[in-house]
């Protein structure tokens, strides 16, 4: 299996006649809300089993959440793998040039002086997204 679930989720959407878009697109408020509700349900299931487990339930709900997130990206025409790569690029800039890591007391990795924010809009533009407030947005 490929390292990304994108092909699996696309197969699922094809098989069940769910929306698939190939260019980042604003969808109807009803569809957007429906996808948001699905994600909220799965996120709540992750939260429910995060502490009390059991571990197989946690693994199941984490997979459901990621699968649903990839499905939501597909519905909106977003290539989520490319967005994740950009988030990763940004996250890695939290590392100092000398390899140093700044942490908060609870262990959370903090942004250092060399941190670069992710350019998600740039990624979506390269995928063909035209923001609504731009003149050529049709
Ligand atoms: Mg679930």
């Amino acid at each position: 299996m490929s390292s990304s679930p994108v092909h699996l989720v696309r197969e699922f959407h094809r098989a069940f006649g769910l929306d698939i878009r190939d260019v980042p697109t604003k969808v109807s408020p009803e569809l957007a809300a429906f996808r948001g509700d699905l994600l909220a349900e799965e996120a709540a299931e992750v939260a429910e089993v995060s502490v009390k487990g059991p571990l197989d339930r946690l693994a199941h709900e984490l997979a459901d959440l990621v699968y649903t997130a990839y499905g939501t990206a597909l519905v909106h025409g977003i290539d989520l793998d490319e967005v994740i790569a950009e988030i990763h690029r940004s996250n890695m800039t939290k590392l100092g040039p000398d390899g140093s890591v700044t942490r908060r007391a609870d262990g959370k990795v903090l942004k250092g002086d060399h941190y670069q924010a992710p350019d998600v809009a740039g990624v979506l533009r390269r995928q063909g997204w035209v923001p609504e407030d731009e003149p050529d947005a049709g």
Side-chain angles (χ1 to χ4, degrees), residues 2-126:
S2 119
S3 60
S4 164
V6 68
H7 300 294
L8 305 179
V9 175
R10 187 177 278 267
E11 179 184 26
F12 177 79
H13 277 238
R14 271 203 209 103
F16 291 89
L18 303 174
D19 285 55
I20 295 175
R21 289 179 182 77
D22 292 315
V23 173
T25 308
K26 189 179 179 191
V27 304
S28 73
E30 293 77 18
L31 180 56
F34 170 64
R35 295 305 311 190
D37 289 347
L38 290 179
L39 281 166
E41 270 176 43
E42 297 300 346
E45 287 169 359
V46 168
E48 189 190 320
V49 298
S50 281
V51 175
K52 68 175 188 189
L55 200 56
D56 64 319
R57 272 291 311 280
L58 176 61
H60 182 151
E61 299 308 345
L62 283 171
D64 279 353
L65 180 59
V66 171
Y67 200 99
T68 306
Y70 267 86
T72 300
L74 194 55
V75 164
H76 289 268
I78 296 165
D79 183 331
L80 196 57
D81 286 342
E82 291 181 355
V83 178
I84 289 172
E86 174 60 7
I87 297 295
H88 175 66
R89 184 201 62 75
S90 165
N91 280 343
M92 292 304 287
T93 66
K94 292 176 180 175
L95 202 61
D98 57 350
S100 63
V101 178
T102 313
R103 287 182 199 278
R104 203 167 62 189
D106 67 0
K108 180 180 175 179
V109 174
L110 297 177
K111 296 162 188 162
D113 294 339
H114 300 272
Y115 173 73
Q116 296 169 15
D119 179 16
V120 176
V123 172
L124 294 191
R125 282 171 199 274
R126 287 192 290 280

